[in-house]
């Protein structure tokens, strides 16, 4: 643990990652504070971060069956963002997680990538393979250019169940409204956010039971992501997750109040195969987005963020 603490100190700084906690299960093994000079300080602020990380462990543990049903791999990285900062929670190896907190809201991508690099540095001496957390380690950075869609056969008329389709950058977006048609401007924005090279599913929720859902799961270029799950089964799982996430984020908000001001704006649940995104909107509305491609996690994240900003009018 002393050796691990020394490695973690290298990314600790008062202007960046101000707090780090390494957990074995729900037990803190290393507690570091940029303002302190010793490991395991009993400072009240450090104790608050230690407690927050432990509560986050319990909350995320309850999501494990949902991700197991999706067959997208383990939850390897979680990002919680509020107006005054962010919390990162990384899987280091089975049973071990690294918690980091920062108030440097203008450097979140940089600090997230630095933490990912540090965690891989902890994994490799134990002979665990490196992970592409947040797609920070792509060989070629993704710049948001759409991937060309292969030729598609003529599409059938909408099914009686209410399915409708619309072209999205040359791709097919399937709309599955659960209640009524979305406002036209919102519908256009939702469709435009989708791309086979980035975001594959987007749901605009006015409540946990009223939502408008678009996806491109049936696109031929995404076929390799459905070896063990059908598109319809994935849609249903993500629909249920969309109903579950407001309650999950409410519990996260209660945990974060001890360390940061403001309500959660964004949650990123990064798994081995892609990620799930939650974005809060005014009026208790929210977005749920999904990418199935681990190499496109950051690109999809930015697409959801831009969409959320547009729908929030901010």
């Amino acid at each position: 643990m002393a050796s691990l603490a020394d490695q973690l100190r290298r990314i600790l700084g008062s202007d960046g990652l101000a707090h780090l906690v390494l957990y074995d299960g729900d037990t803190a093994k290393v507690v570091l504070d940029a303002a302190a000079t010793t490991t395991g300080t009993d400072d009240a602020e450090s104790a608050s971060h230690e407690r927050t990380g432990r509560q986050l462990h319990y909350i995320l543990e309850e999501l494990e069956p949902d991700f197991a049903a999706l067959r997208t791999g383990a939850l390897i990285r979680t990002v919680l963002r509020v107006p005054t900062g962010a919390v990162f929670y990384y899987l280091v190896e089975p049973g071990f997680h690294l918690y980091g907190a920062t108030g440097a809201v203008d450097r979140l991508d940089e600090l997230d990538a630095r933490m990912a690099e540090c965690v891989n540095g902890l994994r490799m001496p134990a002979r665990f393979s490196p992970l592409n957390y947040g797609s920070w380690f792509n060989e070629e950075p993704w710049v948001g250019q759409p991937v060309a869609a292969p030729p598609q056969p003529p599409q059938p008329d909408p099914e009686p169940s209410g399915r409708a389709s619309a072209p999205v950058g040359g791709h097919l977006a399937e709309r599955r409204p659960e209640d009524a048609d979305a406002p036209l401007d919102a519908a256009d924005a939702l469709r435009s956010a989708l791309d086979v090279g980035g975001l594959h599913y987007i749901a605009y929720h006015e409540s946990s039971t009223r939502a408008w859902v678009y996806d491109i799961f049936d696109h031929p270029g995404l076929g390799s992501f459905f070896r063990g799950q059908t598109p319809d089964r994935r849609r249903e799982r993500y629909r249920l997750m969309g109903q579950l996430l407001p309650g999950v984020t409410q519990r996260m908000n209660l945990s974060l109040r001890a360390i940061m001001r403001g309500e959660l704006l964004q949650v990123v649940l990064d798994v081995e195969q892609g990620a799930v995104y939650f974005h809060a909107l005014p009026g208790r509305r929210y977005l749920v987005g999904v990418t199935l491609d681990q190499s496109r996690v950051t690109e999809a994240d930015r697409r959801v963020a831009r969409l959320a900003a547009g729908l929030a009018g901010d």
Side-chain angles (χ1 to χ4, degrees):
M1 288 301 126
S3 175
L4 292 175
D6 288 339
Q7 288 181 258
L8 295 175
R9 284 193 186 93
R10 297 171 191 168
I11 64 167
L12 194 67
S14 58
D15 63 339
L17 289 163
H19 306 273
L20 291 171
V21 186
L22 181 65
Y23 293 90
D24 180 358
D26 62 352
T27 303
K29 293 294 187 179
V30 176
V31 181
L32 296 173
D33 189 315
T37 57
T38 60
T39 301
T41 176
D42 60 357
D43 173 79
E45 188 173 8
S46 291
S48 293
H49 282 278
E50 180 184 343
R51 184 166 55 252
T52 298
R54 187 166 60 251
Q55 292 168 345
L56 186 56
H57 164 78
Y58 297 141
I59 294 170
L60 295 176
E61 195 175 48
E62 294 178 12
L63 290 177
E64 288 181 3
D66 298 281
F67 284 113
L70 284 163
R71 298 190 185 183
T72 51
L75 181 59
I76 60 174
R77 164 181 164 266
T78 302
V79 181
L80 311 181
R81 185 171 67 85
V82 298
T84 56
V87 163
F88 307 104
Y89 189 79
Y90 272 74
L91 173 69
V92 180
E93 58 185 73
F96 277 85
H97 289 83
L98 181 63
Y99 164 102
T102 181
V105 294
D106 58 336
R107 298 172 55 207
L108 295 185
D109 282 358
E110 171 199 342
L111 297 173
D112 194 357
R114 185 183 298 178
M115 191 159 172
E117 186 176 8
C118 174
V119 171
N120 271 332
L122 300 179
R123 287 175 58 84
M124 294 174 72
R127 299 299 186 266
F128 282 96
S129 60
L131 292 173
N132 191 13
Y133 300 100
S135 72
W136 296 120
F137 306 116
N138 292 346
E139 292 184 5
E140 297 182 4
W142 176 247
V143 293
Q145 297 299 318
V147 175
Q152 297 185 35
Q155 299 297 323
D157 293 333
E159 297 179 4
S161 62
R163 290 174 58 170
S165 62
V168 180
H171 311 139
L172 183 68
E174 293 291 346
R175 175 172 62 82
R176 289 167 176 77
E178 296 179 10
D179 205 339
D181 287 338
L184 185 60
D185 55 346
D188 288 343
L190 292 166
R191 287 195 296 265
S192 297
L194 294 172
D195 191 276
V196 72
L199 187 67
H200 303 141
Y201 172 104
I202 190 70
Y204 171 45
H205 290 258
E206 283 194 347
S207 68
S208 61
T209 57
R210 181 178 170 89
W212 296 273
V213 182
Y214 295 81
D215 70 66
I216 50 174
F217 284 174
D218 291 323
H219 190 285
L222 300 180
S224 62
F225 295 109
F226 295 98
R227 292 173 181 169
Q229 290 273 22
T230 64
D232 281 339
R233 189 173 298 174
R234 283 267 177 88
R235 289 182 184 108
E236 177 63 13
R237 291 290 181 183
Y238 287 126
R239 183 186 69 81
L240 294 174
M241 187 171 285
Q243 295 176 350
L244 176 71
L245 283 176
V248 173
T249 57
Q250 185 177 12
R251 293 173 60 196
M252 290 176 173
N253 269 318
L254 292 174
S255 298
L256 291 176
R257 283 175 188 168
I259 59 168
M260 292 180 178
R261 296 190 307 276
E263 298 290 306
L264 268 171
L265 298 174
Q266 175 194 30
V267 178
V268 179
L269 300 168
D270 185 359
V271 291
E272 291 177 276
Q273 187 194 59
V276 176
Y277 310 92
F278 173 93
H279 259 273
L281 297 170
R284 297 188 178 182
R285 298 171 298 148
Y286 60 97
L287 292 172
V288 175
V290 174
T291 183
L292 302 174
D293 190 339
Q294 187 60 26
S295 68
R296 299 294 184 251
V297 167
T298 296
E299 165 64 14
D301 189 353
R302 290 168 180 164
R303 284 176 176 266
V304 179
R306 289 194 297 268
L307 177 61
L311 293 175
D314 182 4

